[in-house]
């Protein structure tokens, strides 16, 4: 499951991951990306225990803080400005 609020960031991540998949399909099969990017979840704050139960077995769930302030692909509106 890939979760990202920003449409541009989500598109960039999918683009780059699909390039990795094309170069190393054994490492990252396209079917895994199809499933990861097919969800409608766009905000990690929407994840609930009920949602997790509905997903069934999940190999990994990674979450972190927003990095738009620091990302070259983001809006670069740093909190340190």
């Amino acid at each position: 499951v890939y979760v990202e609020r920003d449409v541009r960031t989500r598109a960039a991540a999918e683009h780059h991951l699909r390039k990795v998949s094309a170069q190393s399909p054994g490492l990252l099969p396209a079917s895994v990306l199809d499933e990861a990017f097919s969800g409608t979840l766009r905000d990690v704050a929407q994840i609930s225990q009920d949602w997790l139960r509905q997903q069934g077995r999940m190999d990994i769930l990674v979450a972190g803080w927003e990095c738009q302030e620091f990302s070259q692909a983001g809006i670069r509106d740093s909190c340190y400005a």
Side-chain angles (χ1 to χ4, degrees):
V1 175
Y2 182 86
V3 180
E4 173 60 61
R5 284 192 279 186
D6 184 78
V7 174
R8 293 178 304 154
T9 304
R10 183 181 177 89
E14 183 172 6
H15 171 78
H16 291 294
L17 287 170
R18 292 212 181 266
K19 283 174 59 175
V20 170
S21 177
Q23 293 171 349
S24 303
L27 178 66
L28 185 59
S31 61
V32 170
L33 293 177
D34 293 342
E35 185 176 334
F37 285 95
S38 68
T40 58
L41 193 61
R42 296 288 189 256
D43 188 343
V44 72
Q46 295 174 335
I47 294 176
S48 66
Q49 292 214 0
D50 288 337
W51 182 86
L52 287 170
R53 279 190 212 97
Q54 292 171 359
Q55 301 311 301
R57 183 177 181 274
M58 190 178 302
D59 293 322
I60 187 169
L61 172 65
V62 178
W65 67 89
E66 290 193 47
C67 63
Q68 292 301 312
E69 295 86 12
F70 310 105
S71 171
Q72 291 298 316
I75 57 175
R76 293 188 225 153
D77 185 19
S78 176
C79 59
Y80 299 113

